[in-house]
């Protein structure tokens, strides 16, 4: 199976395949073509081959104009530190949970009515009458809890692996904002069915926000959108839940992943740091000197001056 990165190269620019690759026969060409004529490809065979190449050609056409394959190859084939394990999948799992929420949310929005008199009945309609409605609603409802659990596990992983340290502090801060937005997403979504439970739970949540110092009362006033929890609160929660927060989360996930790709991931804390490969000026080399600048019992030196040892992944030692 050819690599995706090779497939993205347009046909005229591809390297000549070696014998045994990409349809080139392994054995040498027959000496006597009269007695052993090469097998002719049928018209259907040629068409089939062209059809198989068509998606690749289409991708290559787009890529020639967008130059996106460099970014994709860098993103998909990047190196990860030794010792990378299942805990490193929690970030991607959170991302998948978010994508599931976004897709199921779009379908729910097609049938949901954000009005105090119709919200509950529109959700009953989704559950009872709409094709796969109960399934999609269930995925969205349970998916919210799954995303909250996953985001906390992912945060725990990055904390216990020391991934918040230099140079990844900014990614940690972006993560904290993502956590707040995800919790707000869960909170604003809870009111939408507008049943007894969601109504009273939202009043409790809004009042808890009101007890915060300085901004607390302003925040609870903003959320309530009026003297009582009612129609204006529901409209406000719905707008925040399906427009404001998803937009902000998508933008921040973009920045978060950009930094993950740019900085790479942190090696697990129990893996040993790579020996730094420090070049030593040739003028300082004596006959028989090891020449790699690394002293087994101390920090490496450059021309006799001690320099700090660094983790192989570019982070400072803990
Ligand atoms: C919507 C929420 C989030 C998504 C989709 C997300 C996604 C990811 C992904 C895919 C990675 C790379 C793979 C991995 O380490 O798991 C990552 C790394 C990271 N995330 Fe998140 N994340 C989210 C929330 C958070 C939160 C809440 C924090 C912390 C407060 C955080 C902090 C970090 C840090 C520091 C890294 C770098 C890890 C390293 O260098 O090893 N993220 N994130």
């Amino acid at each position: 199976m050819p690599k995706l990165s090779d497939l993205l190269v347009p046909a005229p620019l591809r390297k000549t395949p070696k014998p045994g690759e990409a349809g080139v026969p392994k054995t040498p060409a027959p000496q006597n073509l009269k007695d052993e004529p090469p097998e002719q490809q049928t018209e259907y065979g040629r068409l089939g081959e062209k059809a198989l190449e068509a998606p690749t050609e289409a991708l290559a056409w787009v890529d020639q104009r967008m130059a996106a394959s460099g970014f994709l190859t860098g993103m998909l084939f990047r190196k990860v530190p030794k010792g990378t394990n299942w805990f490193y999948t929690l970030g991607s799992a959170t991302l998948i949970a978010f994508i599931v929420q976004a897709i199921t949310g779009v379908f729910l929005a097609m049938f949901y009515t954000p009005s105090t008199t119709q919200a509950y009945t529109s959700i009953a309609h989704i559950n009872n009458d709409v094709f796969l409605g109960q399934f999609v609603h269930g995925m969205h409802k349970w998916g919210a809890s799954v995303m909250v659990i996953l985001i906390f596990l992912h945060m725990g992983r990055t904390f216990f692996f020391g991934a918040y340290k230099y140079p990844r502090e900014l990614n940690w801060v972006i993560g904290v904002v993502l956590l707040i937005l995800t919790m707000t997403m869960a909170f604003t979504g809870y009111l939408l069915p507008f049943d007894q439970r969601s109504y009273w739970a939202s009043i409790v949540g809004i009042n808890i926000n009101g007890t915060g110092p300085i901004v607390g009362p302003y925040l609870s006033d903003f959320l309530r959108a009026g003297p009582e929890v009612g129609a204006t609160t529901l409209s406000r929660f719905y707008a925040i839940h399906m427009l404001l927060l998803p937009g902000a989360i998508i933008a921040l996930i973009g920045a978060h992943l950009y930094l993950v790709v740019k900085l790479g991931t942190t090696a697990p804390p129990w893996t040993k740091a790579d020996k730094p490969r420090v070049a030593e000026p040739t003028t300082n080399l004596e006959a028989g000197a090891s020449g790699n600048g690394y002293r087994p019992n101390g920090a490496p030196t450059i021309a006799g001056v001690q320099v700090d040892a660094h983790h192989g992944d570019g982070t400072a030692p803990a």
Side-chain angles (χ1 to χ4, degrees):
M1 184 74 185
K3 277 202 283 178
L4 176 70
S5 50
D6 293 341
L7 281 179
L8 285 175
V9 180
L13 301 178
R14 272 181 223 151
K15 278 190 230 150
T16 322
K18 291 185 196 133
E21 278 178 13
V24 178
K26 240 185 179 154
T27 46
Q31 295 295 313
N32 186 349
L33 284 175
K34 210 171 160 201
D35 299 337
E36 292 176 66
E39 225 176 83
Q40 288 287 321
Q41 215 184 15
T42 61
E43 190 60 25
Y44 286 120
R46 260 196 297 277
L47 263 175
E49 218 163 71
K50 275 227 172 318
L52 280 178
E53 285 253 320
T56 314
E57 291 295 326
L59 261 182
W61 188 91
V62 175
D63 187 45
Q64 266 183 329
R65 280 139 193 97
M66 276 185 67
S69 61
F71 169 76
L72 277 180
T73 345
M75 177 123 172
L76 299 174
F77 298 103
R78 65 182 202 278
K79 292 202 164 123
V80 294
K82 250 187 223 156
T84 297
N85 54 38
W86 281 98
F87 291 114
Y88 286 74
T89 58
L90 288 167
S92 314
T94 316
L95 178 63
I96 299 291
F98 173 70
I99 293 171
V100 169
Q101 289 306 95
I103 295 172
T104 50
V106 167
F107 287 105
L108 291 177
M110 290 177 189
F111 298 95
Y112 174 74
T113 318
S115 116
T116 45
T117 50
Q118 289 169 50
Y120 184 77
T121 41
S122 69
I123 292 198
H125 169 65
I126 291 173
N127 285 338
N128 300 330
D129 313 319
V130 176
F131 174 65
L132 290 180
Q134 195 172 21
F135 177 67
V136 173
H137 181 214
M139 275 184 85
H140 196 76
K141 194 173 163 179
W142 287 97
S145 303
V146 169
M147 185 172 170
V148 169
I149 293 169
L150 284 172
I151 202 172
F152 273 105
L153 290 176
H154 170 59
M155 184 173 70
R157 196 293 279 172
T158 52
F159 177 76
F160 285 114
F161 282 39
Y164 54 86
K165 293 181 200 172
Y166 176 84
R168 298 183 181 82
E169 302 97 319
L170 180 61
N171 220 13
W172 173 266
V173 172
I174 293 177
V176 171
V177 180
L178 276 170
L179 179 74
I180 295 169
L181 295 186
T182 305
M183 299 307 287
T184 317
M185 197 77 172
F187 177 59
T188 48
Y190 206 81
L191 178 67
L192 302 186
F194 220 71
D195 53 13
Q196 286 292 327
R197 193 202 324 227
S198 64
Y199 177 80
W200 292 107
S202 300
I203 291 185
V204 170
I206 290 171
N207 288 346
I208 291 176
N209 273 290
T211 61
I214 306 166
V215 288
Y218 297 104
L219 193 59
S220 65
D221 279 353
F222 169 74
L223 288 170
R224 207 181 304 102
E228 297 282 340
V229 169
T232 45
T233 324
L234 185 59
S235 302
R236 186 161 294 189
F237 271 41
Y238 187 49
I240 294 174
H241 184 77
M242 59 96 74
L243 289 171
L244 186 69
L245 291 178
I249 291 179
I250 289 169
L252 284 174
I253 288 182
H256 198 64
L257 294 187
Y258 169 77
L259 283 178
V260 168
V261 173
K262 184 112 185 132
L263 303 172
T265 45
T266 317
W270 55 84
T271 51
K272 281 195 192 135
D274 279 352
K275 281 183 182 180
R277 279 173 291 173
V278 181
E280 201 163 277
T282 42
T283 44
N284 274 8
L285 275 183
E286 290 159 21
S290 76
N292 65 1
Y294 191 77
R295 302 287 177 275
N297 296 324
T301 58
I302 300 176
V305 180
Q306 270 206 343
V307 291
D308 279 337
H310 279 266
H311 279 222
D313 65 338
T315 55

